[in-house]
């Protein structure tokens, strides 16, 4: 069974459990003294004078600091020693008790504390006079009298210390009582000094009453000295505390602990029970309401200050102070009294002319102490420092936030994702993987170029919102930069990561409206997981980039990283320098693949294809070295090399009586070069080849990219007389209707559809539609990948004009192509001006 131990301090009303016994002790001791003392009320006129002296010595509290510890001292023991010697014992009890009553009424203590202090004074005085009666009677002012009076006065302080420790133990526990006893030696020292001073005064008075004049002058001089000391010490302490506050606030503003450093020191500086910081919600910053309370190590999320005062200070932009001598506003006094607050100061914190919050202190420590107007000036200085520190802290926080977040989407950026990924890798649990998903938004460049960057930004913001909405709550979604978004989370396996990526891609894939324009948002997704694909964030980011790049080659796909992707990337990296050397040394070759009319098998031209056999790398695929050329600035040299070789061979064939057209593939990047058409014209003139014998082939994704960017270059090439062909048609998302606005002459159906015609009715239907519509638009059609007689017959049936493929010939170097000519062309003479006719290929 759970224990029923006390979990908090008892109410102050429990102090009556000690007040009552002390009052009973005072009554018992006084009764005994009254019975045994011969004249218990002797010297009443003098007792009245001593009463006034006790009240005068008990109201002011003299504060001294010894080794960073503050000691509060009253002078009541001095007249008490005189009373023990000069008046009757019960008169001493009476005036000492009355002095306590008057003093505590002056300090406006609550009933519980008031009666506790009165009972303590009465019990201490009655016990002292009882001890005095038990000791030998005092005679003269010699050492014997000193000891007797010292023993009697010690009873007063003994009762005081014991009762205070007892009430602390009763209300707050034994630790509080022990702490009260531990702090008693300075008080005992002060009492001992007062008793000794009282004995000195007694000796002077016993010698001559005229000594009172000298004592009065001495007291006045000491009062002036103490006043100067107190003022100097207060200023010194204030400056020291302000310096400590400024330094602590400056240091804590960088690490986010400003409220802790600020409130504790403000509370200590203002000697308040509560110090509160309130900052209303602003932008992404939530509301802050934190309070430092006396004897509480942590900050509280509450405030003792009434909310009405806070709102008035914010609305009026001025200080609101409620206390004994601070305001005459009865309404505000009523509000404070209703919240059981003694006094309070609320200061607005300013940033320029705007109020950004409030700094508040409530309940000056000590029942007799209250905030004064001089405290407001000091507090305003503190508030000015605090306001600057808060603004700097928020600025640092904003800079730190901006350094780790994307300004457009407000998502974490690559730096933040990298840090989170490293942390996730460190704390990964057994049996789970840390998945990294990269979403690459497709066709964003076309949106920027067609509709402007504002539209592109809207697309990115929309994709960010959709990713946030569909990602699991445990995932961290960020923007890597450009059109790439990252998502990291923990899953049970790589297969689960692939499923998650596919599901998220499907959920964010939807139409987006821009005024009257509708866009389809789609992404290519790369996936990498720890520990399978990398041991840290840097490697995972590198490999997920490779996976996303591979995914872009198949529109709308999700690609899991594999080692082949990295080896290919490394291979391309190593090819950069070798490609430059190969171009310089003429190591690249041009192969030629025949293009044949399907109806009568006449050779109409060849497609020029670059090939590279490197001594170190072996046979390098065109896809690899073309990509390297694009990224290393060598694309222009590579294109010109193929153009020169093709035009040179076309010129030679024409001189030999076999004029053949040549086709050269262009990269989409070439169409962005405004000088390319002029260079083509120069090469045609240099080799003397008619422009109509040159066909430039551009992949569908390059010529039909959704923008008008390639059209000016295409028109200039058409004006030269060059034929233009759309390569790999059907693999993208464009339709034949888009071709109507482009200056092209030919469409090449992608090999994937042609090779599937004989087995897949869908592929047959696609090729049939492309051929029919192209012919209606006046475009020639070339079928790639013709590899069987059945495919040839199907193409003839649907009216396709030209084909190329392994059925006729593989790409061949020039020497083998010449031999192929001799083997395939009919030996009968070819009429002048006609194209050579091929034999039937078995």
């Amino acid at each position: 069974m759970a224990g029923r131990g006390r979990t908090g301090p008892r109410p102050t009303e429990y102090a009556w459990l000690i007040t009552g016994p002390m009052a009973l002790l005072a009554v018992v001791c006084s009764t005994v003294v009254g019975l045994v003392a011969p004249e218990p009320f002797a010297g009443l006129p003098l007792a009245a004078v001593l009463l006034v002296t006790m009240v005068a010595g008990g109201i002011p509290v003299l504060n001294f600091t010894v080794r960073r510890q503050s000691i509060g001292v009253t002078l009541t023991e001095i007249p008490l020693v005189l009373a023990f010697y000069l008046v009757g014992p019960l008169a001493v009890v009476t005036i000492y008790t009355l002095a306590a009553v008057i003093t505590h009424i002056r300090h406006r203590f609550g009933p519980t504390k008031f009666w506790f202090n009165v009972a303590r004074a009465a019990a201490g005085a009655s016990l002292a006079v009882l001890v005095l009666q038990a000791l030998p009677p005092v005679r003269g002012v010699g050492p014997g009298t000193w000891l007797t009076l010292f023993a009697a006065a010690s009873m007063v302080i003994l009762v005081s210390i014991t009762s205070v420790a007892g009430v602390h133990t009763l209300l707050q526990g034994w630790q509080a009582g022990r702490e009260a006893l531990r702090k008693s030696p300075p008080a005992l020292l002060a009492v001992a000094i007062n008793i000794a001073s009282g004995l000195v005064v007694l000796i002077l008075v016993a010698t001559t009453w005229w000594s009172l004049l000298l004592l009065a002058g001495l007291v006045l001089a000491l009062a002036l000295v103490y006043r100067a000391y107190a003022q100097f010490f207060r200023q010194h302490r204030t400056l020291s505390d302000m310096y400590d506050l400024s330094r602590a606030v400056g240091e804590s503003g960088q690490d986010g602990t400003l409220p802790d450093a600020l409130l504790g020191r403000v509370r200590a500086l203002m000697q308040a029970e509560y110090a509160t910081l309130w900052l209303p919600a602003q932008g992404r910053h939530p509301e802050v309401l934190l309070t430092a309370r006396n004897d509480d190590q942590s900050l509280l999320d509450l405030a003792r200050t009434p909310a009405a005062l806070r709102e008035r200070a914010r609305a009026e932009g001025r200080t609101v102070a409620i206390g004994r001598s601070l305001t005459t506003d009865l309404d505000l006094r009523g509000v404070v009294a209703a919240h059981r607050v003694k006094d309070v100061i609320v200061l607005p914190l300013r940033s320029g002319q705007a109020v950004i919050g409030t700094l508040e202190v409530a309940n000056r420590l000590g029942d007799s102490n209250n905030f004064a107007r001089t405290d407001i000036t000091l507090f305003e200085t503190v508030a000015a420092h605090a306001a600057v520190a808060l603004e700097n802290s928020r600025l640092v926080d904003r800079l730190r936030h901006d350094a780790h977040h994307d300004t457009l989407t407000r998502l974490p950026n690559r730096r933040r994702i990298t840090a989170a990924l490293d942390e996730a890798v460190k704390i990964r649990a057994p049996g789970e993987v840390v998945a990294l998903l990269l979403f690459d938004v497709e066709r964003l460049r076309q949106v920027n170029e067609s509709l402007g960057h504002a539209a592109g930004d809207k697309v990115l913001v929309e994709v960010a919102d959709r990713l946030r909405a569909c990602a699991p709550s445990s995932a961290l979604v960020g923007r890597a930069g450009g059109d790439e978004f990252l998502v990291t989370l923990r899953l049970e396996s790589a297969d689960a990561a692939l499923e998650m990526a596919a599901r998220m891609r499907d959920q964010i894939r939807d139409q987006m409206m821009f005024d009257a324009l509708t866009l389809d948002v789609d992404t290519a997704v790369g996936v990498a997981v720890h520990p399978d694909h990398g041991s840290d964030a840097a490697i995972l980011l590198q490999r997920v980039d490779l996976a996303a790049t591979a995914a872009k080659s198949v529109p709308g796909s999700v690609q899991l990283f594999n080692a082949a992707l990295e080896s290919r990337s490394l291979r391309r990296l190593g090819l950069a320098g070798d490609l430059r050397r190969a171009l310089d040394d003429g190591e690249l070759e041009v192969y030629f693949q025949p293009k044949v009319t399907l109806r009568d098998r006449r050779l109409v031209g060849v497609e020029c294809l670059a090939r590279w056999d490197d001594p170190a790398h072996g046979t390098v695929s065109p896809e690899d070295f073309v990509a390297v050329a694009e990224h290393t600035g060598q694309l222009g040299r590579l294109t010109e090399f193929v153009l020169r070789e093709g035009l040179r061979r076309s010129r030679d064939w024409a001189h030999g009586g076999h004029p053949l057209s040549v086709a050269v593939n262009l990269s989409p990047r070439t169409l962005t070069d405004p000088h390319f058409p002029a260079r083509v014209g120069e090469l045609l003139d240099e080799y003397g080849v008619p422009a109509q014998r040159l066909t430039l082939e551009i992949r569908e994704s390059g010529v039909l990219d959704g923008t008008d960017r390639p059209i000016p270059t295409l028109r200039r090439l058409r004006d030269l007389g060059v034929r233009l062909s759309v390569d790999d048609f059907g693999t993208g998302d464009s339709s034949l209707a888009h071709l109507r606005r482009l200056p092209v002459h030919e469409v090449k159906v992608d090999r994937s559809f042609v090779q599937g015609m004989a087995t897949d009715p869908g592929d047959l239907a696609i090729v049939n539609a492309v051929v029919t519509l192209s012919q209606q638009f006046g475009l020639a059609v070339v079928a790639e990948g013709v590899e069987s007689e059945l495919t040839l017959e199907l193409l003839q049936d649907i009216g396709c004009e030209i084909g190329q493929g392994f059925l006729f010939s593989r790409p061949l170097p020039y020497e083998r192509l010449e031999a192929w000519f001799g083997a395939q062309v009919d030996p009968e003479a070819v009429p002048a001006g006609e194209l050579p006719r091929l034999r039937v290929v078995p």
Side-chain angles (χ1 to χ4, degrees):
M1 181 180 293
R4 297 183 179 179
R6 184 164 47 87
T7 59
R10 291 191 176 100
T12 56
E13 285 74 13
Y14 277 81
W16 289 103
L17 296 176
I18 293 181
T19 302
M22 285 194 303
L24 180 60
L25 175 65
V27 171
V28 171
C29 291
S30 297
T31 302
V32 173
V33 171
L35 294 175
V36 301
E39 297 182 38
F41 288 100
L44 286 179
L46 185 57
V49 175
L50 291 173
L51 172 63
V52 174
T53 307
M54 285 184 183
V55 172
I59 291 179
V61 178
L62 309 181
N63 290 294
F64 298 92
T65 298
V66 179
R67 293 186 178 180
R68 297 183 177 270
Q69 186 171 359
S70 180
I71 303 174
V73 178
T74 60
L75 304 178
T76 54
E77 287 81 8
I78 296 177
L80 179 62
V81 170
L82 295 176
F84 284 147
Y85 184 83
L86 298 175
V87 299
L90 291 186
V92 174
V93 175
T94 302
I95 63 174
Y96 193 72
T97 304
L98 286 176
V101 170
I102 295 171
T103 301
H104 293 101
I105 289 176
R106 170 72 173 74
H107 291 323
R108 299 183 180 182
F109 288 162
T112 302
K113 191 169 186 178
F114 172 81
W115 289 114
F116 170 80
N117 287 327
V118 171
R120 183 184 63 173
S126 60
L127 182 61
V129 296
L130 181 61
V131 170
L132 194 62
Q133 293 300 315
L135 294 175
V138 294
R139 289 185 175 86
V141 289
T145 300
W146 301 349
L147 293 176
T148 300
L149 296 180
F150 193 92
S154 297
M155 293 299 104
V156 177
I157 191 61
L158 177 64
V159 170
S160 178
I161 291 176
T162 304
S163 61
V164 170
V167 78
H168 276 278
T169 302
L170 178 66
L171 299 182
Q172 300 178 357
W174 65 269
Q175 295 92 342
R178 187 179 63 178
E179 184 67 15
L181 291 175
R182 190 182 66 82
K183 292 182 178 180
S184 61
L188 291 174
L189 175 63
V191 171
I193 293 174
N194 283 343
I195 294 173
S197 300
L199 292 173
V200 171
V201 173
L202 175 61
I203 294 172
L204 294 175
V205 170
T207 303
T208 175
W209 285 94
W210 290 104
S211 62
L212 292 176
L213 296 177
L214 297 177
L215 288 174
L218 180 61
V219 169
L220 179 61
L222 291 176
L224 294 175
V225 170
Y226 172 76
R227 182 177 180 182
Y229 158 80
Q231 184 177 5
F232 168 78
F233 178 75
R234 189 182 304 112
Q235 292 175 349
H236 173 76
R237 189 185 66 181
T238 300
L239 289 174
S240 177
D241 290 345
M242 284 293 296
Y243 172 76
D244 182 57
L245 174 68
S246 300
R247 184 181 62 183
V249 165
E251 293 174 352
S252 62
Q254 305 296 324
D255 55 15
T257 61
L258 178 60
D260 302 80
L262 175 65
L263 292 177
R265 286 169 172 81
V266 167
R267 190 206 59 73
L269 177 64
M270 298 300 296
Q271 299 178 17
E273 184 179 3
Y274 298 95
T276 300
L277 173 67
W278 175 67
L279 301 173
Q282 180 183 2
R284 65 179 183 83
H285 298 283
E287 181 185 22
V288 174
L289 182 63
L290 294 172
T291 297
R293 184 171 61 184
N294 188 37
D295 294 332
D296 203 325
Q297 297 298 323
S298 59
L299 298 183
L300 310 176
D301 57 349
L302 53 84
R304 194 67 186 272
T305 309
L309 273 65
R310 185 180 303 119
E311 292 299 333
R312 173 174 289 194
R314 181 189 182 189
E316 298 179 1
R318 64 178 182 85
T319 302
V320 176
I322 310 297
R324 178 182 298 178
S325 60
L326 295 180
T327 185
T328 58
D329 192 321
L330 297 181
D331 292 337
L332 292 181
R333 283 185 180 276
V335 170
V336 170
H339 286 76
R340 303 180 67 181
V341 175
K342 181 179 66 173
D343 48 5
V344 62
I345 303 175
V346 181
L347 281 176
L349 299 175
R350 297 180 178 277
S351 176
Q353 298 299 319
V355 176
I356 62 173
T358 60
L359 190 62
E360 310 156 10
V361 288
N363 288 356
R364 187 70 175 265
L365 292 177
D367 293 318
S368 61
N369 296 328
N370 295 92
F371 292 124
R373 296 196 177 277
T374 54
D375 294 318
I376 297 179
T377 303
L378 174 61
F379 197 27
E380 287 175 344
T381 304
V382 173
H385 283 281
V388 173
L390 286 167
E391 277 297 285
N392 291 340
S393 176
R394 284 196 167 182
L395 176 60
V396 170
D397 180 63
R398 186 160 57 249
L399 291 174
R400 186 180 293 115
H401 179 274
D402 291 345
H404 291 89
H405 288 78
D406 174 53
T407 57
L408 176 64
T409 62
R410 299 298 178 185
L411 291 176
N413 58 16
R414 180 181 287 267
R415 179 184 300 175
R416 176 70 181 89
I417 290 287
T418 302
L421 193 56
D422 273 329
E423 186 65 23
V425 166
K426 292 177 182 177
I427 63 176
R428 179 184 67 90
E432 70 177 9
V433 300
V434 178
L436 182 62
L437 284 54
L438 192 153
F439 292 80
D440 193 306
V441 181
E442 297 184 345
R443 295 185 298 278
L444 182 65
R445 186 183 66 182
Q446 290 86 335
V447 173
N448 287 332
E449 294 174 348
S450 302
L451 304 177
H453 285 276
D457 290 345
K458 290 182 180 179
V459 170
L460 292 173
V461 171
E462 179 65 20
V463 172
D465 292 341
R466 293 179 183 182
L467 279 173
R468 264 191 297 244
C470 71
S473 58
S474 59
L476 178 63
V477 181
R479 183 184 176 199
D483 54 1
E484 296 179 344
F485 292 85
L486 289 169
V487 178
T488 179
L489 70 165
R490 295 190 185 92
L491 294 169
E492 58 272 17
S493 65
D495 291 337
L498 278 175
E499 293 176 6
M500 175 65 68
R503 185 163 59 250
M504 291 179 63
R505 176 185 167 272
D506 291 339
Q507 289 176 350
I508 68 174
R509 185 182 182 185
D510 198 0
Q511 291 182 338
M512 186 182 301
M513 299 296 297
F514 288 99
D515 298 328
L517 185 64
T518 302
L519 297 178
D520 288 327
V521 177
D522 201 359
T523 56
V525 189
V527 179
V529 298
H530 168 79
D532 298 349
H533 303 144
S535 58
D536 57 36
I539 295 176
L540 288 172
L541 285 167
Q542 173 191 350
R543 291 177 173 175
V544 81
D545 275 333
L546 292 174
T549 301
K552 285 190 287 187
S553 63
V554 180
S557 70
V558 177
Q559 175 69 52
L560 181 68
F561 172 81
N562 59 75
L565 297 177
E566 186 169 42
S567 62
R568 184 174 183 181
S569 176
L570 293 173
R571 175 180 170 85
R572 286 186 176 181
L573 186 62
L575 290 175
D578 293 337
L579 177 60
R580 187 182 306 276
R581 176 187 50 77
L583 287 171
D584 292 338
D585 298 343
E587 293 182 3
L588 271 69
E589 290 186 83
V590 174
Y591 280 40
F592 305 90
Q593 185 172 29
K595 299 168 70 174
V596 179
T597 58
L598 300 180
R599 184 64 58 187
D600 54 7
R601 287 186 172 87
R602 291 189 180 273
L603 182 64
V604 294
V606 293
E607 181 178 359
C608 302
L609 302 168
R611 294 292 184 265
W612 182 20
D613 286 327
D614 184 76
H617 301 285
T619 300
V620 184
S621 70
E623 183 179 1
D624 284 342
F625 68 74
V626 169
V628 170
E630 287 180 341
H631 289 89
T632 57
Q634 301 179 77
L635 182 62
R637 291 188 63 192
L638 179 61
T639 302
E640 183 172 338
F641 165 73
V642 179
L643 273 173
R644 283 184 174 276
E645 187 67 12
L647 292 176
R648 183 166 69 88
R649 298 305 181 185
S650 178
R651 180 191 61 187
D652 295 343
W653 290 324
H655 292 168
H658 303 296
L660 296 176
S661 65
V662 291
V664 176
N665 291 290
L666 294 184
S667 167
R669 291 194 178 187
T670 304
L671 298 180
T672 63
D673 182 2
H675 304 293
F676 179 70
R679 187 56 182 158
V680 171
E682 294 173 358
L683 292 174
L684 289 171
D685 292 340
E686 179 180 346
Y687 290 98
V689 176
Q692 62 271 19
R693 290 187 190 168
L694 175 62
T695 300
L696 298 178
E697 298 182 359
I698 307 100
R699 296 188 63 179
E700 178 190 3
S701 58
V703 70
L704 297 175
D705 62 354
T707 71
D708 293 334
R709 183 183 55 181
I711 292 180
T713 302
L714 293 175
R715 286 177 176 168
R716 291 177 60 191
L717 291 170
R718 180 198 60 186
D719 293 342
L720 287 174
V722 173
R723 290 177 56 83
L724 300 174
S725 176
V726 178
D727 196 9
D728 298 337
F729 189 81
T731 58
D733 296 331
S734 303
S735 67
L736 278 168
H738 293 157
L739 294 176
R740 299 181 60 186
R741 63 187 182 88
L742 297 176
V744 297
H745 307 85
E746 179 182 281
V747 173
K748 296 186 72 174
V749 185
D750 187 67
R751 69 180 66 249
S752 60
F753 301 112
V754 174
Q755 292 173 349
M757 288 175 59
T759 57
D760 189 340
D763 288 343
L764 177 61
I766 291 174
V767 177
N768 188 18
V770 172
V771 172
T772 302
L773 290 176
S774 297
Q775 290 174 346
Q776 291 180 0
F777 292 153
L779 301 175
V781 181
V782 178
E784 296 182 292
V786 182
E787 298 184 359
S788 69
E789 288 290 343
L790 180 56
T791 302
L792 176 63
E793 292 174 3
L794 292 173
L795 289 170
Q796 289 175 340
D797 292 341
I798 63 178
C800 185
E801 303 168 353
I802 303 172
Q804 67 181 95
F806 291 174
L807 179 64
F808 307 115
S809 175
R810 296 175 179 272
L812 300 171
Y814 177 73
E815 293 77 10
R816 292 181 59 188
L817 181 67
E818 287 291 311
W820 181 86
F821 276 168
Q824 300 296 329
V825 176
D826 272 337
E828 62 187 41
V830 178
E834 291 189 13
L835 295 172
R837 183 173 181 176
L838 303 181
R839 291 177 176 176
V840 176
V841 179

